[in-house]
Amino acid sequence: KYKITKKLGQGGMGSVYLAQDASLDRLVALKVLSPEIGRDPELVARFVREARAQARLRHPNVTQIYYIGEDQGLHFFAMEFVEGQPLEATLKRGKLPWPSALEYTISAARGLREALQQGFIHRDIKPSNLLVDKDGQVKIAAFGLVKSLKGDVELTREGVILGSPLYMSPEQGRSESVDHRSDIYSLGCA
């Protein structure tokens, strides 16, 4: 169903590839769980819950999930390919003009508002998880640490510190309970 054309990036749980979706004739980003992690049922379940949580969000400032599957023992999901780059790459080139920084922040905040309205806290907002498309709109990606406020999707255990220390709120860093304010703090740091 998917023809991989190139590797886009690598994270702690696996890799992301650019691929052609043969059935719909469109480009997608495939997030593929590494084979080592794919042997751990708990981590596979977390990967599936990440995709399902993100798939519930339908908003222009959140990357869309199209499909989740397994092929030859590799777990993956297909998501919207954002033609652009992570905000992290933009920031490495220097300071942003304040109008751009403001627009990026507003775009990301709109996506976070939608996540909150659907009962989710992202918990890993950082420049590498904010994708800037070719039109300058920000799309939130990487919902691997998402927390459900409804209690129906438990992705991580309480009392465990997960996230990116440079961007996490103090309460998250102390492994305390977090709410939407933690995402706002992280967005400010980003």
Side-chain angles (χ1 to χ4, degrees), residues 12-175:
M13 301 257 312
S15 301
V16 178
Y17 299 91
L18 178 63
Q20 181 71 30
D21 181 336
S23 62
L24 296 174
D25 192 27
R26 67 176 169 188
L27 292 175
V28 298
L30 283 184
K31 185 171 185 178
V32 181
L33 204 55
S34 73
E36 301 79 33
I37 290 176
R39 288 190 283 274
D40 183 331
E42 187 176 315
L43 293 176
V44 170
R46 180 173 148 193
F47 183 75
V48 170
R49 289 188 301 258
E50 171 190 356
R52 288 181 177 162
Q54 193 170 343
R56 289 185 193 172
L57 303 175
R58 304 255 182 220
H59 192 274
N61 298 113
V62 175
T63 55
Q64 299 299 295
I65 300 293
Y66 301 136
Y67 181 82
I68 187 163
E70 179 184 354
D71 185 36
Q72 299 175 17
L74 291 175
H75 301 272
F76 69 93
F77 59 78
M79 62 184 164
E80 174 183 6
F81 169 63
V82 177
E83 191 176 340
Q85 62 185 353
L87 180 58
E88 178 180 55
T90 303
L91 293 173
K92 284 182 179 178
R93 290 194 306 269
K95 284 184 175 180
L96 286 175
W98 73 264
S100 296
L102 181 62
E103 184 55 41
Y104 293 167
T105 303
I106 291 169
S107 293
R110 288 180 177 141
L112 289 173
R113 179 182 60 200
E114 177 63 19
L116 177 62
Q117 289 174 343
Q118 297 302 317
F120 295 113
I121 305 300
H122 188 282
R123 297 195 304 179
D124 200 21
I125 295 296
K126 58 186 177 182
S128 61
N129 290 341
L130 300 174
L131 307 178
V132 182
D133 72 13
K134 61 182 174 43
D135 297 321
Q137 287 297 305
V138 169
K139 292 183 175 269
I140 301 170
F143 281 73
L145 300 183
V146 71
K147 177 181 179 177
S148 172
L149 297 175
K150 298 175 184 176
D152 58 342
V153 180
E154 189 51 46
L155 299 177
T156 56
R157 297 183 309 270
E158 287 294 323
V160 176
I161 299 173
L162 293 172
S164 302
L166 292 177
Y167 303 98
M168 69 173 57
S169 65
E171 58 274 14
Q172 186 175 353
R174 291 189 300 263
S175 191

